[in-house]
Coordinates of all heavy atoms in Angstrom, one line a residue:
Q1 N 280.8 -18.9 -230.5 CA 281.3 -20.2 -230.1 C 280.6 -21.3 -230.8 O 279.4 -21.2 -231.2 CB 281.3 -20.4 -228.6 CG 282.2 -19.5 -227.8 CD 282.2 -19.9 -226.3 OE1 281.3 -20.6 -225.8 NE2 283.3 -19.5 -225.6
P2 N 281.2 -22.5 -231.0 CA 280.5 -23.6 -231.6 C 279.2 -23.9 -230.8 O 279.3 -23.9 -229.6 CB 281.5 -24.8 -231.5 CG 282.8 -24.1 -231.6 CD 282.6 -22.8 -230.8
G3 N 278.2 -24.2 -231.5 CA 276.9 -24.5 -230.9 C 276.0 -23.2 -230.7 O 274.9 -23.3 -230.3
G4 N 276.6 -22.1 -230.9 CA 275.9 -20.8 -230.7 C 275.1 -20.4 -231.9 O 274.9 -21.2 -232.9
S5 N 274.5 -19.2 -231.8 CA 273.5 -18.7 -232.8 C 273.9 -17.3 -233.2 O 274.4 -16.5 -232.4 CB 272.1 -18.8 -232.3 OG 271.7 -20.1 -232.0
L6 N 273.5 -17.0 -234.4 CA 273.6 -15.6 -234.9 C 272.4 -15.4 -235.8 O 271.9 -16.3 -236.5 CB 274.9 -15.3 -235.7 CG 276.2 -15.1 -234.9 CD1 277.3 -15.0 -235.9 CD2 276.1 -13.9 -234.0
R7 N 272.0 -14.1 -235.9 CA 271.0 -13.7 -236.9 C 271.5 -12.7 -237.8 O 271.9 -11.6 -237.3 CB 269.7 -13.3 -236.3 CG 268.6 -13.1 -237.3 CD 267.2 -12.8 -236.8 NE 267.1 -11.3 -236.5 CZ 265.9 -10.7 -236.6 NH1 264.8 -11.3 -236.9 NH2 265.8 -9.4 -236.3
L8 N 271.6 -13.0 -239.0 CA 272.1 -12.0 -240.0 C 270.9 -11.2 -240.6 O 269.8 -11.8 -240.8 CB 272.9 -12.7 -241.1 CG 274.0 -13.6 -240.7 CD1 274.7 -14.1 -242.0 CD2 275.0 -12.8 -239.9
S9 N 271.1 -10.0 -240.9 CA 270.1 -9.2 -241.6 C 270.7 -8.6 -242.8 O 271.9 -8.3 -242.9 CB 269.6 -8.0 -240.6 OG 269.1 -8.5 -239.4
C10 N 269.8 -8.3 -243.8 CA 270.2 -7.7 -245.0 C 269.1 -6.7 -245.4 O 268.0 -7.1 -245.8 CB 270.4 -8.7 -246.1 SG 270.7 -8.0 -247.8
A11 N 269.4 -5.4 -245.2 CA 268.5 -4.4 -245.5 C 268.7 -3.9 -246.9 O 269.8 -3.6 -247.3 CB 268.6 -3.2 -244.5
T12 N 267.6 -3.8 -247.7 CA 267.7 -3.4 -249.1 C 267.0 -2.1 -249.3 O 266.1 -1.7 -248.5 CB 267.1 -4.4 -250.0 OG1 265.7 -4.4 -249.9 CG2 267.6 -5.8 -249.7
S13 N 267.4 -1.4 -250.3 CA 266.8 -0.2 -250.8 C 266.9 0.0 -252.2 O 267.8 -0.7 -252.9 CB 267.4 1.0 -250.0 OG 268.8 1.1 -250.3
G14 N 266.0 0.8 -252.8 CA 266.1 1.1 -254.3 C 265.4 0.1 -255.1 O 265.5 0.2 -256.3
I15 N 264.6 -0.9 -254.5 CA 263.9 -1.8 -255.2 C 262.5 -2.1 -254.6 O 262.3 -1.7 -253.4 CB 264.6 -3.2 -255.3 CG1 264.8 -3.8 -253.9 CG2 265.9 -3.1 -256.1 CD1 265.3 -5.2 -253.9
I16 N 261.6 -2.7 -255.4 CA 260.3 -3.1 -254.8 C 260.6 -4.5 -254.2 O 260.5 -5.5 -254.9 CB 259.2 -3.1 -255.8 CG1 259.0 -1.7 -256.4 CG2 257.9 -3.5 -255.1 CD1 258.0 -1.6 -257.5
F17 N 261.1 -4.6 -253.0 CA 261.6 -5.8 -252.4 C 260.7 -7.0 -252.6 O 261.2 -8.1 -252.8 CB 262.0 -5.5 -250.9 CG 262.5 -6.6 -250.2 CD1 263.8 -7.0 -250.3 CD2 261.7 -7.3 -249.3 CE1 264.3 -8.1 -249.6 CE2 262.2 -8.4 -248.5 CZ 263.5 -8.8 -248.7
S18 N 259.4 -6.8 -252.4 CA 258.5 -7.9 -252.3 C 258.4 -8.6 -253.6 O 257.9 -9.8 -253.7 CB 257.1 -7.4 -251.9 OG 256.6 -6.4 -252.8
L19 N 258.9 -8.1 -254.7 CA 258.7 -8.7 -256.0 C 259.8 -9.7 -256.3 O 259.7 -10.5 -257.2 CB 258.8 -7.6 -257.1 CG 257.7 -6.6 -257.2 CD1 257.9 -5.6 -258.3 CD2 256.3 -7.3 -257.3
Y20 N 260.9 -9.8 -255.5 CA 262.1 -10.5 -255.9 C 262.4 -11.6 -254.9 O 262.2 -11.5 -253.7 CB 263.3 -9.6 -256.0 CG 263.0 -8.5 -257.1 CD1 262.7 -7.2 -256.7 CD2 263.1 -8.8 -258.4 CE1 262.5 -6.3 -257.7 CE2 262.9 -7.9 -259.4 CZ 262.6 -6.6 -259.0 OH 262.4 -5.6 -260.0
A21 N 263.0 -12.7 -255.5 CA 263.6 -13.7 -254.7 C 264.9 -13.1 -254.1 O 265.6 -12.3 -254.8 CB 263.9 -14.9 -255.5
V22 N 265.2 -13.5 -252.9 CA 266.5 -13.0 -252.3 C 267.1 -14.2 -251.6 O 266.5 -15.3 -251.4 CB 266.2 -11.9 -251.2 CG1 265.8 -10.6 -252.0 CG2 265.1 -12.3 -250.2
G23 N 268.3 -14.0 -251.1 CA 269.0 -15.2 -250.4 C 270.3 -14.8 -249.9 O 270.7 -13.7 -249.9
W24 N 271.0 -15.9 -249.5 CA 272.3 -15.8 -248.9 C 273.3 -16.8 -249.6 O 272.9 -18.0 -249.8 CB 272.3 -16.1 -247.4 CG 271.5 -15.1 -246.7 CD1 270.1 -15.1 -246.4 CD2 272.0 -13.9 -246.0 NE1 269.8 -14.0 -245.6 CE2 270.9 -13.2 -245.4 CE3 273.3 -13.3 -245.9 CZ2 271.1 -12.1 -244.7 CZ3 273.4 -12.2 -245.2 CH2 272.3 -11.5 -244.6
Y25 N 274.5 -16.4 -249.8 CA 275.6 -17.2 -250.2 C 276.7 -17.0 -249.1 O 276.6 -16.1 -248.3 CB 276.2 -16.8 -251.5 CG 275.5 -17.5 -252.7 CD1 274.3 -17.2 -253.1 CD2 276.2 -18.4 -253.5 CE1 273.7 -17.8 -254.2 CE2 275.7 -19.0 -254.6 CZ 274.4 -18.7 -254.9 OH 273.8 -19.2 -256.0
R26 N 277.6 -17.9 -249.1 CA 278.8 -17.7 -248.2 C 280.1 -18.1 -248.9 O 280.0 -18.9 -249.8 CB 278.6 -18.4 -246.9 CG 278.7 -19.9 -247.0 CD 278.4 -20.6 -245.7 NE 278.7 -22.0 -245.7 CZ 278.4 -22.9 -244.7 NH1 277.9 -22.4 -243.6 NH2 278.7 -24.1 -244.8
Q27 N 281.2 -17.6 -248.4 CA 282.5 -18.0 -248.9 C 283.4 -18.1 -247.7 O 283.8 -17.1 -247.1 CB 283.0 -16.9 -249.9 CG 284.3 -17.4 -250.6 CD 284.6 -16.6 -251.8 OE1 284.1 -15.5 -252.1 NE2 285.5 -17.1 -252.7
G28 N 283.8 -19.4 -247.5 CA 284.7 -19.7 -246.4 C 286.2 -19.5 -246.9 O 286.4 -19.3 -248.1
P29 N 287.1 -19.4 -245.9 CA 288.5 -19.3 -246.3 C 289.0 -20.3 -247.3 O 288.9 -21.5 -247.0 CB 289.2 -19.4 -244.9 CG 288.2 -19.2 -243.9 CD 286.9 -19.6 -244.5
G30 N 289.5 -19.9 -248.4 CA 290.0 -20.9 -249.4 C 289.0 -21.7 -250.1 O 289.3 -22.6 -250.8
K31 N 287.8 -21.2 -250.0 CA 286.6 -22.0 -250.6 C 285.9 -21.1 -251.6 O 286.0 -19.9 -251.6 CB 285.7 -22.5 -249.6 CG 286.2 -23.4 -248.5 CD 285.2 -23.8 -247.5 CE 285.7 -24.7 -246.5 NZ 284.7 -25.1 -245.5
Q32 N 285.2 -21.8 -252.5 CA 284.3 -21.1 -253.5 C 283.1 -20.6 -252.8 O 282.7 -21.2 -251.8 CB 284.0 -22.0 -254.6 CG 285.2 -22.4 -255.5 CD 284.7 -23.1 -256.8 OE1 283.8 -23.9 -256.8 NE2 285.5 -22.9 -257.9
R33 N 282.5 -19.6 -253.3 CA 281.2 -19.1 -252.8 C 280.1 -20.2 -253.0 O 280.1 -20.8 -254.1 CB 280.8 -17.8 -253.5 CG 279.6 -17.1 -252.9 CD 279.4 -15.8 -253.5 NE 280.4 -14.8 -253.3 CZ 280.3 -13.5 -253.5 NH1 279.2 -13.0 -254.0 NH2 281.4 -12.7 -253.3
E34 N 279.3 -20.4 -252.0 CA 278.3 -21.5 -252.1 C 277.0 -21.0 -251.6 O 276.9 -20.1 -250.7 CB 278.7 -22.7 -251.2 CG 278.8 -22.4 -249.7 CD 279.1 -23.7 -248.9 OE1 278.8 -24.8 -249.4 OE2 279.5 -23.5 -247.7
L35 N 275.9 -21.6 -252.1 CA 274.6 -21.2 -251.7 C 274.3 -21.6 -250.3 O 274.7 -22.7 -249.9 CB 273.6 -21.8 -252.7 CG 272.1 -21.7 -252.3 CD1 271.7 -20.2 -252.6 CD2 271.2 -22.6 -253.1
V36 N 273.6 -20.7 -249.6 CA 273.2 -21.0 -248.2 C 271.7 -21.3 -248.3 O 271.2 -22.4 -247.9 CB 273.5 -19.9 -247.3 CG1 272.9 -20.2 -245.9 CG2 275.1 -19.7 -247.2
A37 N 270.9 -20.3 -248.7 CA 269.5 -20.4 -248.7 C 268.9 -19.3 -249.6 O 269.5 -18.3 -249.8 CB 268.9 -20.2 -247.2
T38 N 267.7 -19.6 -250.0 CA 266.9 -18.6 -250.9 C 265.5 -18.6 -250.4 O 265.0 -19.5 -249.8 CB 267.0 -19.0 -252.3 OG1 266.3 -20.3 -252.5 CG2 268.4 -19.1 -252.9
I39 N 264.8 -17.5 -250.7 CA 263.4 -17.4 -250.4 C 262.8 -16.6 -251.5 O 263.3 -15.5 -251.9 CB 263.2 -16.7 -249.0 CG1 261.7 -16.7 -248.7 CG2 263.8 -15.3 -248.9 CD1 261.4 -16.3 -247.2
T40 N 261.7 -17.1 -252.1 CA 261.1 -16.5 -253.2 C 260.2 -15.3 -252.8 O 260.0 -15.1 -251.6 CB 260.2 -17.5 -254.0 OG1 259.1 -17.9 -253.2 CG2 261.1 -18.7 -254.4
S41 N 259.7 -14.6 -253.7 CA 258.8 -13.5 -253.4 C 257.5 -14.1 -252.7 O 256.9 -13.4 -251.9 CB 258.4 -12.8 -254.7 OG 257.8 -13.6 -255.6
G42 N 257.2 -15.3 -253.0 CA 256.0 -15.9 -252.4 C 256.3 -16.6 -251.0 O 255.4 -17.1 -250.4
G43 N 257.6 -16.6 -250.6 CA 257.9 -17.1 -249.3 C 258.4 -18.6 -249.3 O 258.7 -19.1 -248.3

């Protein structure tokens, strides 16, 4: 519901995860994919 919360998780495998920047994009209905957030290897 509006005002609520969710926590998304993304589990990775096959890489040395700590070495890479990772992040999230999203694509809404009828919209282009847009950046949500990124986090570098250093945090």
Side-chain angles (χ1 to χ4, degrees):
Q1 292 187 341
S5 298
L6 283 175
R7 189 175 84 149
L8 306 183
S9 300
C10 174
T12 71
S13 60
I15 60 171
I16 303 175
F17 178 77
S18 61
L19 295 180
Y20 300 102
V22 291
W24 295 88
Y25 273 68
R26 71 183 186 185
Q27 187 164 15
K31 298 180 181 180
Q32 292 188 328
R33 191 173 292 193
E34 63 174 342
L35 174 69
V36 175
T38 63
I39 184 166
T40 68
S41 57

